[in-house]
């Protein structure tokens, strides 16, 4: 579940060697894992290995040697000269006794499969010159492609395309995945990702202390709320969702119903007077209460059982929403801020951040899409060409003292302490109107059950994606809450929960 940055992976290799694992043995195991993947993907036909001048190329030489020993017709195309290779890569090249072809597109021929061992995860500059031409030729070849560690041209830390990148059929990485395997657009270039065990002891993670995690149930299982047999609805918390005016009530109702489905014991929609009738007519299990002003809201929130608030969906941009947000942040409760609640502070974000910093317990979650993020964190948005989504989320969380969730097909959740999760289970049909409102409500439902903010946001993101996956094409936002019971049942089975 841990995702290692390029620097952390380098550290893992070094720690493994320090623990007594020979570095060339690591390379041999990596190359053999690549060879096994290539053999499985293309059991017959010619294979070309495109090798670079570093350890990635060394892995490629080992793979070529292994495949030739299996009787496959293999050739290696090397970027650079053999005598320029150093260390383990040079040792791997010396074991190769097959064809060594010039670094030119013509050398590819028409293979069944190409092994991309040109550049590794640590690429930090744009690909130009002959390597760029070679990558373009690989992509145009029509061959199956197995990438070593990451497709050449993809940044391991950001998932960015460094000018041009290989489009792999399968990627074989080692020990742990990198953020670039999950973040877009890198994920789109990886194909199926296989993680090979090459003998790095898991104990190295105790030294590295990685803070980036793949958002999967395995890591948040300990925080997943499971109702007790002797429990009651008040024990599962009471979430309050703020509604906008009469013509803007749908988003709040989507969020409220999602909060209830996500497990909150009670949910109330706090509604202005003109929207009371429409909200009451459309809601059954969700309660409705008239809240006109921030003073009304403050009085209502004096009830300590109201332990989670969701503000923003359909709330309207302006002073009223801003005052409601500041009121919600004045007490020790979980607060989810989305959409209009974020845009209402676009001109004075520090006011919001100061309120979050002074909130008792500081359990705030901000859920912007990219446009809302740019309005609220303008200094970071201006750097989106140099900062990855993961980096921007982390910096925003630190600046705001809140958990920050940047939505998308690679949703990132970041905490002020540097922890972050990346999800990859969102299907394309989740990009539909109102889906974000449902997600806000689900986070509110988790906060109501006293799940810490970082875990609450991560759990809700994964379940949101899983509900959309289960429903399939044709999904609209109203469908998501109805699929959540199936998601819960699957999780209970996975966690072996007996109710």
């Amino acid at each position: 579940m841990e995702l290692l940055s390029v620097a952390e992976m380098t550290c893992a290799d070094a720690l493994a060697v320090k623990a007594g694992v020979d570095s060339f043995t690591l390379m041999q195991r990596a190359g053999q894992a690549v060879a096994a993947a290539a053999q499985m993907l293309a059991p017959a036909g010619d294979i070309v290995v495109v090798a670079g001048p570093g350890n990635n190329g060394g892995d490629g030489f080992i793979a070529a040697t292994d495949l030739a020993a299996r009787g496959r017709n293999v050739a290696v195309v090397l970027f650079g000269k053999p005598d320029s290779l150093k260390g383990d890569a040079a040792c791997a090249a010396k074991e190769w006794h097959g064809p060594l072809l010039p670094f030119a597109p013509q050398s590819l021929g028409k293979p069944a499969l190409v092994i991309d061992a040109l550049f590794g995860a640590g690429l930090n500059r744009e690909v130009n010159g002959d390597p760029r031409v070679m990558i373009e030729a690989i992509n145009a070849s029509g061959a199956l492609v197995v990438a070593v560690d990451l497709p050449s041209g993809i940044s391991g830390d950001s998932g960015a395309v460094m000018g041009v990148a290989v489009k792999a059929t399968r990627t074989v990485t080692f020990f742990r995945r990198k953020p670039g395997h999950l973040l877009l657009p890198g994920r789109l270039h990886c194909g199926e990702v296989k993680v090979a065990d090459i003998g790095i002891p898991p104990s190295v993670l105790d030294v590295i202390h990685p803070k980036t995690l793949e958002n999967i149930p395995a890591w948040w299982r300990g925080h997943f709320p499971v109702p007790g047999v002797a429990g009651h609805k008040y024990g599962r918390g009471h979430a309050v969702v703020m509604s906008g005016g009469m013509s803007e009530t749908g988003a709040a109702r989507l969020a409220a119903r999602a909060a209830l489905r996500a497990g909150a014991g009670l949910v109330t929609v706090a509604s202005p007077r003109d929207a009371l009738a429409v909200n009451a007519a459309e809601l059954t299990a969700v309660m409705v209460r008239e809240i006109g002003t921030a003073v009304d809201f403050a009085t209502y929130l004096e009830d300590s059982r109201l332990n989670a608030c969701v503000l923003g969906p359909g709330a309207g941009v302006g002073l009223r929403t801003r005052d409601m947000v500041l009121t919600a942040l004045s007490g020790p409760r979980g607060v989810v801020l989305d959409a209009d609640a974020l845009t209402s502070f676009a001109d004075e974000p520090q006011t919001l951040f100061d309120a979050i910093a002074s909130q008792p317990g500081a359990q705030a979650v901000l859920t912007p899409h990219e446009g809302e993020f740019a309005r609220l964190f303008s200094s970071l948005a201006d750097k989106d060409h140099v900062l990855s989504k993961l980096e921007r989320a982390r910096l925003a969380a630190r600046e705001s003292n809140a958990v920050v969730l940047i939505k998308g097909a690679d949703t990132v959740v970041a905490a002020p302490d540097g922890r972050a999760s990346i999800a990859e289970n969102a299907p394309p049909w989740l990009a539909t109107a109102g889906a974000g409102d449902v997600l806000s409500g689900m986070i509110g439902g988790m906060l109501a059950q006293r799940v810490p903010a970082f875990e609450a946001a991560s759990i809700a993101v994964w379940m949101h994606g899983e509900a959309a996956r289960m429903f399939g094409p044709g999904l609209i936002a109203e469908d998501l809450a109805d699929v959540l019971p199936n998601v819960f049942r699957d999780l209970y089975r996975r966690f072996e929960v007996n109710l």
Side-chain angles (χ1 to χ4, degrees):
M1 69 190 84
E2 302 89 357
L3 301 173
L4 298 186
S5 68
V6 173
E8 288 170 338
M9 188 63 215
T10 300
C11 183
D13 285 332
L15 289 169
V17 172
K18 187 176 180 181
V21 183
D22 180 69
S23 62
F24 188 64
T25 299
L26 293 176
M27 180 172 285
Q28 286 179 311
R29 291 170 179 167
Q32 289 162 1
V34 171
Q39 179 68 25
M40 184 175 296
L41 191 60
D46 295 347
I47 296 175
V48 174
V49 177
V50 179
N55 282 345
N56 220 48
D59 297 339
F61 274 107
I62 296 291
T65 301
D66 186 280
L67 287 163
R70 296 173 188 238
R72 301 300 299 272
N73 186 25
V74 186
V76 175
V77 176
L78 175 64
F79 178 48
K81 297 180 179 180
D83 57 9
S84 66
L85 297 174
K86 298 178 181 179
D88 292 335
C91 294
K94 287 178 182 177
E95 294 192 357
W96 172 244
H97 303 295
L100 193 61
L101 306 180
F103 194 79
Q106 297 89 332
S107 296
L108 287 179
K110 295 187 178 296
L113 182 137
V114 173
I115 292 178
D116 163 32
L118 184 55
F119 299 124
L123 185 69
N124 58 8
R125 64 188 183 281
E126 286 219 347
V127 179
N128 290 304
D130 290 341
R132 184 185 186 101
V133 174
M134 179 60 75
I135 289 174
E136 290 172 343
I138 292 171
N139 290 340
S141 69
L144 298 169
V145 178
V146 172
V148 178
D149 198 18
L150 262 169
S152 293
I154 298 295
S155 164
D157 286 339
S158 70
V161 173
M162 311 300 283
V164 66
V166 168
K167 294 181 179 177
T169 313
R170 181 171 296 169
T171 295
V172 180
T173 193
F174 316 110
F175 184 56
R176 294 295 185 272
R177 291 204 280 181
K178 321 297 183 297
H181 290 118
L182 276 71
L183 293 170
L184 297 181
R187 189 171 90 213
L188 303 179
H189 285 254
C190 289
E192 181 185 14
V193 179
K194 296 290 187 181
V195 181
D197 179 3
I198 58 173
I200 297 175
S203 59
V204 304
L205 298 174
D206 297 333
V207 179
I208 297 170
H209 298 297
K211 287 193 170 184
T212 309
L213 299 165
E214 180 186 357
N215 188 353
I216 54 176
W219 79 260
W220 42 254
R221 175 178 180 173
H223 293 278
F224 186 68
V226 177
V229 174
H232 52 81
K233 61 185 178 183
Y234 294 105
R236 295 169 64 185
H238 190 158
V240 180
V241 179
M242 182 61 60
S243 172
M246 183 172 62
S247 63
E248 299 174 311
T249 58
R253 289 198 300 276
L254 283 171
R257 196 160 180 271
L260 199 61
R261 281 290 196 195
L266 303 94
V267 178
T268 295
V269 168
S271 173
R273 176 174 293 181
D274 69 337
L276 275 174
V278 64
N279 277 325
E282 293 293 330
L283 295 170
T284 305
V286 174
M287 297 175 285
V288 180
R289 184 183 180 98
E290 181 182 347
I291 299 291
T293 67
V295 174
D296 298 335
F297 197 29
T299 301
Y300 181 47
L301 291 179
E302 289 176 0
D303 184 344
S304 61
R305 294 175 298 179
L306 306 172
N307 65 329
C309 293
V310 180
L311 301 98
V317 176
L319 182 61
R320 177 182 181 274
T321 297
R322 195 158 58 238
D323 288 344
M324 294 293 190
V325 169
L326 297 176
T327 299
L329 290 169
S330 65
R333 62 184 63 88
V335 178
V336 184
L337 303 179
D338 184 28
D340 293 345
L342 301 175
T343 303
S344 291
F345 286 92
D347 294 334
E348 45 181 308
Q350 196 57 49
T351 300
L352 174 61
F353 302 159
D354 290 344
I356 294 171
S358 62
Q359 183 202 18
Q363 289 290 296
V365 180
L366 314 183
T367 64
H369 56 55
E370 289 287 1
E372 292 158 350
F373 184 92
R375 289 191 285 271
L376 197 62
F377 299 99
S378 56
S379 62
L380 296 176
D382 291 342
K383 299 177 182 177
D384 61 357
H385 61 293
V386 294
L387 295 175
S388 71
K389 188 173 187 175
L390 179 60
E391 291 170 318
R392 288 185 292 122
R394 278 197 165 112
L395 290 171
R398 190 181 308 161
E399 180 179 347
S400 63
N401 202 43
V403 169
V404 173
L405 183 161
I406 307 181
K407 289 180 276 197
D410 54 350
T411 295
V412 174
V413 180
D417 63 7
R419 289 177 298 157
S421 69
I422 306 174
E424 63 167 344
N425 68 327
W429 39 87
L430 191 53
T432 184
D437 304 319
V438 174
L439 176 59
S440 294
M442 291 173 63
I443 299 170
M446 289 293 160
L447 290 172
Q449 296 170 88
R450 298 168 184 82
V451 179
F454 176 63
E455 287 79 5
S458 296
I459 292 170
V461 164
W462 186 88
M463 293 185 69
H464 190 242
E466 190 67 4
R469 187 195 65 78
M470 282 186 176
F471 187 91
L475 173 84
I476 59 174
E478 287 94 323
D479 300 321
L480 287 164
D482 292 336
V483 184
L484 284 179
N486 293 330
V487 178
F488 273 107
R489 276 191 286 273
D490 276 4
L491 284 171
Y492 288 161
R493 282 195 290 269
R494 188 180 306 197
F495 297 159
E496 298 181 349
V497 173
N498 295 315
L499 294 179

